[in-house]
Short mmCIF file of all heavy atoms in Angstrom, two decimals:
data_model
loop_
_atom_site.label_atom_id
_atom_site.label_comp_id
_atom_site.label_asym_id
_atom_site.label_seq_id
_atom_site.Cartn_x
_atom_site.Cartn_y
_atom_site.Cartn_z
N ALA U 178 87.24 98.86 103.64
CA ALA U 178 87.70 98.82 102.25
C ALA U 178 88.36 97.48 101.91
O ALA U 178 88.31 97.04 100.76
CB ALA U 178 88.70 99.95 102.00
N LEU U 179 88.94 96.84 102.89
CA LEU U 179 89.65 95.58 102.64
C LEU U 179 88.70 94.46 102.21
O LEU U 179 89.11 93.53 101.53
CB LEU U 179 90.43 95.16 103.89
CG LEU U 179 91.47 96.15 104.39
CD1 LEU U 179 92.13 95.63 105.67
CD2 LEU U 179 92.53 96.41 103.33
N THR U 180 87.45 94.56 102.60
CA THR U 180 86.50 93.48 102.30
C THR U 180 85.30 93.99 101.49
O THR U 180 84.29 93.29 101.37
CB THR U 180 85.99 92.83 103.60
OG1 THR U 180 85.40 93.84 104.44
CG2 THR U 180 87.12 92.14 104.34
N TYR U 181 85.43 95.18 100.92
CA TYR U 181 84.32 95.75 100.16
C TYR U 181 84.31 95.15 98.76
O TYR U 181 85.30 95.23 98.04
CB TYR U 181 84.44 97.27 100.09
CG TYR U 181 83.14 97.96 99.79
CD1 TYR U 181 82.30 98.38 100.81
CD2 TYR U 181 82.75 98.18 98.47
CE1 TYR U 181 81.09 99.02 100.54
CE2 TYR U 181 81.54 98.82 98.19
CZ TYR U 181 80.72 99.23 99.23
OH TYR U 181 79.54 99.85 98.95
N PRO U 182 83.19 94.56 98.33
CA PRO U 182 83.17 93.81 97.07
C PRO U 182 82.82 94.67 95.85
O PRO U 182 82.37 95.82 95.97
CB PRO U 182 82.07 92.79 97.31
CG PRO U 182 81.09 93.53 98.16
CD PRO U 182 81.92 94.42 99.06
N GLN U 183 82.99 94.07 94.68
CA GLN U 183 82.49 94.66 93.44
C GLN U 183 80.99 94.38 93.32
O GLN U 183 80.47 93.46 93.93
CB GLN U 183 83.23 94.07 92.24
CG GLN U 183 84.68 94.53 92.14
CD GLN U 183 85.60 93.45 91.60
OE1 GLN U 183 85.71 92.37 92.19
NE2 GLN U 183 86.27 93.73 90.49
N SER U 184 80.33 95.20 92.51
CA SER U 184 78.91 95.01 92.24
C SER U 184 78.72 94.68 90.77
O SER U 184 79.50 95.13 89.92
CB SER U 184 78.12 96.28 92.58
OG SER U 184 78.16 96.55 93.95
N PRO U 185 77.70 93.92 90.42
CA PRO U 185 77.41 93.67 89.00
C PRO U 185 77.18 94.99 88.27
O PRO U 185 76.58 95.92 88.84
CB PRO U 185 76.14 92.82 89.04
CG PRO U 185 76.12 92.23 90.42
CD PRO U 185 76.74 93.25 91.31
N PRO U 186 77.64 95.13 87.04
CA PRO U 186 77.46 96.38 86.30
C PRO U 186 76.01 96.87 86.27
O PRO U 186 75.77 98.08 86.33
CB PRO U 186 77.97 96.03 84.90
CG PRO U 186 79.01 94.99 85.14
CD PRO U 186 78.47 94.17 86.27
N GLU U 187 75.05 95.94 86.19
CA GLU U 187 73.66 96.37 86.13
C GLU U 187 73.23 97.09 87.41
O GLU U 187 72.40 98.01 87.38
CB GLU U 187 72.72 95.20 85.83
CG GLU U 187 72.82 94.03 86.78
CD GLU U 187 73.82 92.97 86.31
OE1 GLU U 187 74.72 93.31 85.51
OE2 GLU U 187 73.68 91.82 86.75
N GLU U 188 73.80 96.69 88.56
CA GLU U 188 73.50 97.38 89.81
C GLU U 188 74.12 98.77 89.83
O GLU U 188 73.53 99.73 90.34
CB GLU U 188 73.99 96.56 91.01
CG GLU U 188 73.20 95.30 91.25
CD GLU U 188 73.64 94.56 92.50
OE1 GLU U 188 74.39 95.17 93.32
OE2 GLU U 188 73.25 93.40 92.68
N VAL U 189 75.32 98.87 89.28
CA VAL U 189 75.98 100.17 89.21
C VAL U 189 75.18 101.11 88.32
O VAL U 189 74.92 102.27 88.67
CB VAL U 189 77.42 100.02 88.68
CG1 VAL U 189 78.09 101.38 88.55
CG2 VAL U 189 78.25 99.12 89.61
N TYR U 190 74.75 100.61 87.17
CA TYR U 190 73.96 101.43 86.26
C TYR U 190 72.64 101.86 86.89
O TYR U 190 72.17 103.00 86.70
CB TYR U 190 73.70 100.69 84.95
CG TYR U 190 74.77 100.89 83.92
CD1 TYR U 190 75.65 99.87 83.58
CD2 TYR U 190 74.91 102.12 83.27
CE1 TYR U 190 76.64 100.06 82.61
CE2 TYR U 190 75.89 102.32 82.31
CZ TYR U 190 76.76 101.28 81.99
OH TYR U 190 77.73 101.49 81.05
N ALA U 191 72.03 100.97 87.66
CA ALA U 191 70.77 101.32 88.31
C ALA U 191 70.96 102.48 89.29
O ALA U 191 70.13 103.40 89.37
CB ALA U 191 70.19 100.10 89.04
#
Side-chain angles (χ1 to χ4, degrees):
L179 301 178
T180 56
Y181 201 91
Q183 289 145 301
S184 295
E187 55 268 23
E188 290 184 13
V189 178
Y190 272 108

